[in-house]
């Protein structure tokens, strides 16, 4: 079934000018990028996006990082997009990310790990709606 997922190319990646390389990996893996824009999130916006992690010890640092430089937010479409993008991203900590994944190739550390991807159907819908209106989903 065709599915949509929300991807974020994080500040560590935009600051190293590797967004094109990451998009190449995404497209080579069969995803259609059906919406995409660059934003500089405020700390408050980052806190709202990552609210699910508000009880974690790394929450403040995570939100500081996400709002530290521009990000690219994008909607990816494909069969099984949610799970398949999680696979393409690789494990949260790049030490555990398999060869051939985005995080294995590009992530610097567990926090500066280059990409975000939705983790379930409900979160994909709410994360897409967080950043995009229907009129911006053009694929
Ligand atoms: P993922 O991004 O793989 O979905 P997550 O949802 O568990 O991972 O965590 C969200 C982000 O929080 C993750 O991309 C980086 C940061 N993070 C997770 N665990 C961390 C830790 N132990 N130390 C520092 N940052 C962490
Ligand atoms: Mg997550």
């Amino acid at each position: 079934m065709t599915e949509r997922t929300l991807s974020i190319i994080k500040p560590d990646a935009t600051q190293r000018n590797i967004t094109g390389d990451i998009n190449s990996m995404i497209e080579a893996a069969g995803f259609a990028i059906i919406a995409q824009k660059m934003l500089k999130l405020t700390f408050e916006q980052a806190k709202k996006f990552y609210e699910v992690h508000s009880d974690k010890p790394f929450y403040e640092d995570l939100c500081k990082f996400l709002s530290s430089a521009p990000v690219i937010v994008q909607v990816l479409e494909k069969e099984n997009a949610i799970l398949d993008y999680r696979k393409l991203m690789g494990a949260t900590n790049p030490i555990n990310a398999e060869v051939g994944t985005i995080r294995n190739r590009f992530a610097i550390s567990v926090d500066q790990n280059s990409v975000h991807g939705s983790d379930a159907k409900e979160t994909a819908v709410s994360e897409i709606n967080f950043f995009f209106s229907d009129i911006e989903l053009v694929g």
Side-chain angles (χ1 to χ4, degrees):
M1 201 186 82
T2 298
E3 221 175 42
R4 291 174 175 181
T5 193
L6 189 278
S7 165
I8 303 178
I9 303 181
K10 293 183 179 180
D12 67 282
T14 63
Q15 293 316 96
R16 285 179 290 151
N17 296 331
I18 55 173
T19 63
D21 291 318
I22 291 173
N23 272 348
S24 290
M25 289 180 75
I26 288 170
E27 292 186 327
F31 296 87
I33 301 169
I34 66 159
Q36 175 167 258
K37 60 190 171 188
M38 184 172 258
L39 301 170
K40 170 97 164 47
L41 297 178
T42 65
F43 182 60
E44 289 306 318
Q45 288 168 334
K47 276 174 78 175
K48 200 168 168 208
F49 178 76
Y50 269 137
E51 201 157 23
V52 64
H53 293 302
S54 59
D55 58 342
K56 309 269 169 58
F58 54 81
Y59 180 58
E60 291 271 321
D61 286 343
L62 175 63
C63 298
K64 262 186 219 159
F65 167 63
L66 197 69
S67 57
S68 65
V71 294
I72 291 176
V73 293
Q74 50 190 189
V75 179
L76 310 182
E77 190 173 81
K78 175 186 177 302
E79 301 253 312
N80 299 314
I82 297 168
L83 201 61
D84 283 358
Y85 190 52
R86 296 293 309 184
K87 285 186 195 155
L88 181 64
M89 286 164 52
T92 307
N93 189 334
I95 289 168
N96 303 320
E98 285 179 33
V99 173
T101 64
I102 294 170
R103 283 167 167 170
N104 174 267
R105 187 166 163 203
F106 292 121
I108 296 167
S109 58
V110 67
D111 47 331
Q112 298 193 43
N113 60 7
S114 304
V115 280
H116 166 88
S118 308
D119 61 9
K121 281 189 194 298
E122 307 73 46
T123 43
V125 170
S126 65
E127 290 179 359
I128 289 168
N129 289 337
F130 186 90
F131 288 114
F132 294 96
S133 63
D134 283 347
I135 204 168
E136 293 176 297
L137 304 173
V138 294

